[in-house]
């Protein structure tokens, strides 16, 4: 029960700050409901992510082990937390790791339930004239209490293997789709970035904007190339690791292919703003997915830990790492893409409208949407969706549901929970899920290049 009390304490502190944080958001952000609502919902997601990350910090395991059934030290004959490159004593139940991962599963389960609930409630909301529009854009403190209540209740889920095994596969599937969504957001971001700097370069007398695009393009390609070389050095062996050699070689070849396609004359004619900047970022993101996939290979000779690489094979002294470098990079990309998803529909860019629209989504303007609550009070968000929603409420919550699953898998390093042996194990299916994401991501980017050429009469802006 210690973890429940700790969760309640965190929730109580957060509830005290919830009203203040919401007021700050209202006073600092664009004052329209469509943007502000997305921002606050994503704030809840980031808050839940911070609490989940806290569960695996050193020192938390003493509180989490007090929860009945979280870790039975008297049973099991497993090897503890099986982490590549780290030696753990045999027949030692490592509760320090397993309880933290179980807590992350429950916290992210609560967030997933919260957002799936709103995804169902908000189905087919056409405008804020619908009574459910008020629920979407208000009652923030009550929503926060609902999230806290689900979170506390999730810690009473039995600690047997059924919940963890089922939720692992649910999280794997949800994360698969969320990774693809991240790539769509990155492609749209780079298109907007390239278009903006090209237009500024045309309007200015100097070529500094073009030089900036060139510098970032070269930097991204250089990082991708260095990453590929390092992968060959540390994640392959002369007579072993055939899968890794295949993954690295194929993804380097595919990245080079889409880069060539992006500058073909017909593609440039159909999409003047398409270029190597977008391809360089996609290539770098593909290298990250390749690294992430190889980091889950259960073959430890092909999957050294970062600590063993830095210490040149020194291992970890029998200590298990609670942090993971590719997981940290994944969280950084997640935060960036989440914030990008919030703000992209507040202006002319419409990536989230494309992802979540039901056919009637329209641009929302920030001009004329500000009202003062008083000379000293915060601004009130004005209703800019009376004639039609700027995004699909239901699908937006579904995307946050997928994000919750992605957070869970990232914080637990995509390890499969083996409750019978009290271990978190890497599995080859996880490797193939991640590497398949990289191939589908490259395929999606290739489609954005060739679709305007194949269908010239359609609007792909």
């Amino acid at each position: 029960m210690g973890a429940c009390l700790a969760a309640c304490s965190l929730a109580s502190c957060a509830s005290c700050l919830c009203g203040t944080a919401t007021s700050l958001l209202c006073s600092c952000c664009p004052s329209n409901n469509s943007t502000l609502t997305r921002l606050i919902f994503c704030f809840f997601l980031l808050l839940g992510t911070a609490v989940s990350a806290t569960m695996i910090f050193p020192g938390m395991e003493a509180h989490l082990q007090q929860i009945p059934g979280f870790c039975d030290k008297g049973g099991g004959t497993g090897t503890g937390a099986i982490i590549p490159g780290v030696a753990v004593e045999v027949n030692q139940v490592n509760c320090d790791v397993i309880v933290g991962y179980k807590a992350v599963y429950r916290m992210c389960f609560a967030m997933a339930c919260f957002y799936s609930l709103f995804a169902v409630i908000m189905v087919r909301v056409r405008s804020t004239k619908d009574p459910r529009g008020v629920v979407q854009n208000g009652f923030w403190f009550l929503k926060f209490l609902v999230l806290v209540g689900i979170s506390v209740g999730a810690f009473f889920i039995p600690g047997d293997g059924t919940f963890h095994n089922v939720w692992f596969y649910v999280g794997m599937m949800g994360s698969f789709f969320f990774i693809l969504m991240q790539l769509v957001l990155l492609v749209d971001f780079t298109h907007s970035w390239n278009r903006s700097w090209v237009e500024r370069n045309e309007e200015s007398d100097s070529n500094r904007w073009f030089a900036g695009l060139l510098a970032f393009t070269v930097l991204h390609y250089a990082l991708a190339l260095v990453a590929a070389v390092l992968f060959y050095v540390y994640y392959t062996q002369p007579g072993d690791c055939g899968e890794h050699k295949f993954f690295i070689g194929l993804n380097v070849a595919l990245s080079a292919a889409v880069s060539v396609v992006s500058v073909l004359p017909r593609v440039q004619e159909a999409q003047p703003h398409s270029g190597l900047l977008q391809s360089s970022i996609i290539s770098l993101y593909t290298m990250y997915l390749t690294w992430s996939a190889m980091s889950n290979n259960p073959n430890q000779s092909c999957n050294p830990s970062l600590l063993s690489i830095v210490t040149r094979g020194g291992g970890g002294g029998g200590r298990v790492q609670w942090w993971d470098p590719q997981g940290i990079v994944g969280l950084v990309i997640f935060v960036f893409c989440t914030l990008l998803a919030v703000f992209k529909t507040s202006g002319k860019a419409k990536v989230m409208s494309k992802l979540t629209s039901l056919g009637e989504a329209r641009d929302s303007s920030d001009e004329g949407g500000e009202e003062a609550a008083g000379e000293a009070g915060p601004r009130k968000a004005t209703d800019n969706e009376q004639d039609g929603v700027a995004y699909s409420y239901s699908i937006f919550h579904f995307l946050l549901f997928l994000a919750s699953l992605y957070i869970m898998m990232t914080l637990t390093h995509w390890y499969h929970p083996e409750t019978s042996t009290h271990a978190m194990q890497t599995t080859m299916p996880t490797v193939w899920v991640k590497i398949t994401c990289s191939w589908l991501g490259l395929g999606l980017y290739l489609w954005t290049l060739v679709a305007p050429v194949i269908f010239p009469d359609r609007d792909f802006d």
Side-chain angles (χ1 to χ4, degrees):
M1 295 302 295
C4 294
L5 295 176
C8 292
S9 299
L10 290 173
S12 299
C13 294
S15 63
C16 295
L17 298 175
C18 183
T20 303
T22 305
S23 299
L24 290 174
L25 289 173
C26 292
S27 61
C28 299
C29 300
S31 57
N32 61 75
N33 277 343
S34 63
T35 301
L36 186 57
T37 296
R38 291 195 299 274
L39 182 60
I40 298 178
F41 271 117
C42 288
F43 170 76
F44 285 171
L45 180 66
L46 295 178
L47 181 62
T49 302
V51 174
S52 299
T54 304
M55 298 296 181
I56 58 176
F57 280 1
M60 284 296 297
E61 64 274 3
H63 302 285
L64 295 173
Q65 288 177 21
Q66 300 178 25
I67 301 178
F70 250 41
C71 188
D72 183 9
K73 292 186 177 182
T77 58
T79 57
I82 302 177
I83 297 182
V86 179
V88 183
E89 295 181 12
V90 180
N91 296 326
Q92 174 187 356
V93 176
N94 198 324
C95 293
D96 293 352
V97 174
I98 191 72
V99 294
Y101 287 178
K102 287 184 175 182
V104 170
Y105 266 55
R106 282 157 174 76
M107 188 65 205
C108 293
F109 171 79
M111 291 193 295
C113 290
F114 176 78
Y115 289 115
S116 60
L117 173 65
F118 277 93
V120 173
I121 294 176
M122 298 299 164
V123 170
R124 300 184 65 83
V125 174
R126 303 297 187 181
S127 70
T128 52
K129 295 178 182 178
D130 190 310
R132 292 173 293 172
V134 180
V135 178
Q136 170 76 4
N137 299 309
F139 302 104
W140 294 111
F141 185 69
L142 292 179
K143 292 175 184 174
F144 183 77
L145 291 181
V146 171
L147 178 58
V148 171
I150 298 176
S151 302
V152 173
F155 280 86
F156 290 91
I157 297 176
D160 58 13
T162 304
F163 169 76
H164 303 100
N165 289 329
V166 172
W167 202 240
F168 169 80
Y169 289 107
V170 173
M172 183 183 293
M173 290 186 293
S175 300
F176 175 85
F177 291 107
F178 186 78
I179 289 174
L180 296 181
M181 191 270 284
Q182 281 186 329
L183 185 132
V184 173
L185 291 170
L186 288 175
V187 170
D188 182 84
F189 168 74
T190 51
H191 273 297
S192 301
W193 180 8
N194 187 73
R195 180 184 297 109
S196 175
W197 282 27
V198 168
E199 292 176 352
R200 293 184 182 185
N201 185 76
E202 294 174 350
E203 296 172 356
S204 63
D205 298 331
S206 63
N207 291 325
R208 65 180 183 274
W209 296 105
F210 177 78
L213 287 175
L214 180 61
F216 277 106
T217 301
V218 172
L219 175 63
H220 296 150
Y221 275 124
L223 291 175
L225 181 60
V226 170
V229 173
L230 292 177
F231 295 161
Y232 268 114
V233 172
Y234 293 107
Y235 287 87
T236 63
Q237 300 291 337
D240 197 4
C241 313
E243 300 96 341
H244 288 189
K245 297 174 183 177
F246 172 72
F247 296 158
I248 300 169
L250 180 60
N251 280 354
V252 169
L254 292 176
S255 298
V258 296
S259 298
V260 172
V261 172
S262 67
V263 294
L264 291 177
R266 291 200 60 185
V267 174
Q268 288 291 305
E269 181 181 354
Q271 292 195 83
H273 295 291
S274 175
L276 292 177
L277 177 65
Q278 295 92 318
S279 300
S280 67
I281 291 183
I282 297 305
S283 299
L284 185 59
Y285 185 68
T286 300
M287 290 299 104
Y288 160 72
L289 290 179
T290 306
W291 175 39
S292 181
M294 294 187 300
S295 298
N296 281 102
N297 193 331
N299 185 352
Q300 296 186 16
S301 63
C302 302
N303 181 16
S305 67
L306 181 63
L307 185 60
S308 66
I309 293 175
V310 173
T311 59
R312 298 185 179 181
R319 296 195 62 178
V320 176
Q321 293 177 215
W322 60 271
W323 56 276
D324 185 82
Q326 61 91 11
I328 294 175
V329 176
L331 287 177
V332 172
I333 297 175
F334 154 74
V335 172
F336 174 78
C337 290
T338 300
L339 295 178
L340 185 65
V342 170
F343 290 107
K344 285 298 282 185
T345 48
S346 61
K348 294 182 179 180
K350 299 176 290 185
V351 60
M352 282 301 296
S353 294
K354 294 176 184 178
L355 287 172
T356 65
S357 64
L358 294 176
E360 77 282 5
R362 59 194 65 186
D363 292 334
S364 59
S365 173
D366 291 338
E367 298 180 0
E370 299 183 0
E371 283 186 359
E375 295 182 358
R379 294 179 303 175
K380 292 183 179 179
T382 57
D383 187 356
N384 64 326
E385 298 178 301
Q386 291 184 349
D387 297 327
V389 296
Y391 63 101
S392 168
Y393 293 169
S394 182
I395 301 183
F396 174 72
H397 289 296
F398 178 72
L399 294 179
L400 295 185
F401 163 78
L402 296 180
S404 303
L405 300 178
Y406 176 79
I407 292 167
M408 180 187 75
M409 300 303 292
T410 302
L411 290 177
T412 59
H413 317 315
W414 292 68
Y415 292 159
H416 183 268
E418 293 289 347
T419 309
S420 60
T421 59
H422 301 287
M424 299 294 290
Q425 298 182 342
T426 57
T427 59
M428 281 305 296
T430 300
V431 176
W432 286 104
V433 166
K434 289 186 176 183
I435 204 67
T436 302
C437 283
S438 69
W439 296 336
L440 289 179
L442 288 168
L444 283 175
Y445 175 61
L446 180 63
W447 174 250
T448 65
L449 296 175
V450 301
V453 178
I454 300 175
F455 303 102
D457 297 331
R458 296 186 183 181
D459 182 15
F460 291 96
D461 186 16

